[in-house]
Amino acid sequence: VVVHLAARNNDRPGTLAEFKAANVDHLLQIADAARRQGAARFINLSSSHALGADARDSYGVSKREGARKLTAAWPEGAINLY
C-alpha cells in the first residue's frame, strides 16, 4: 500500500499548468511507479476543499482532475480520500 500526501496547494501562487504538473502529472507518475513495483493499493489524500464543484481555483481544479485520472488509470487499486 502506498499513501500519497504530496500536493501543490494554495500556500504559494502558480499557474494552472504548474498545479496540474504537481497534482495530476506527478500523481500519475508516482502511482504508475508504485503499481510497477507491486503495490496493490494507492491511497491519494486530498483536502475536502477539492471536493467542492465551486472550488474553481487551481488547487481544487487540479486535485479533482488528478483524482479522476488516477481512478481511470488504476480502477482496481486507486483510492481517493478527502
Side-chain angles (χ1 to χ4, degrees):
V1 174
V2 174
V3 178
H4 182 265
L5 299 166
R8 181 173 184 144
N9 61 29
N10 288 328
D11 288 348
R12 61 185 182 150
T15 66
L16 180 57
E18 291 169 328
F19 276 85
K20 285 186 175 186
N23 296 334
V24 180
D25 301 338
H26 293 156
L27 167 68
L28 297 176
Q29 291 168 358
I30 294 165
D32 182 59
R35 182 160 57 175
R36 284 187 283 112
Q37 292 300 313
R41 295 282 182 264
F42 187 90
I43 301 170
N44 178 40
L45 293 170
S46 183
S47 72
S48 60
H49 171 79
L51 281 176
D54 60 337
R56 300 187 196 289
D57 61 1
S58 295
Y59 173 76
V61 168
S62 63
K63 288 296 284 187
R64 285 193 306 274
E65 181 178 335
R68 282 192 308 270
K69 288 186 174 183
L70 176 63
T71 299
W74 195 357
E76 72 283 357
I79 300 169
N80 292 292
L81 296 177
Y82 299 90

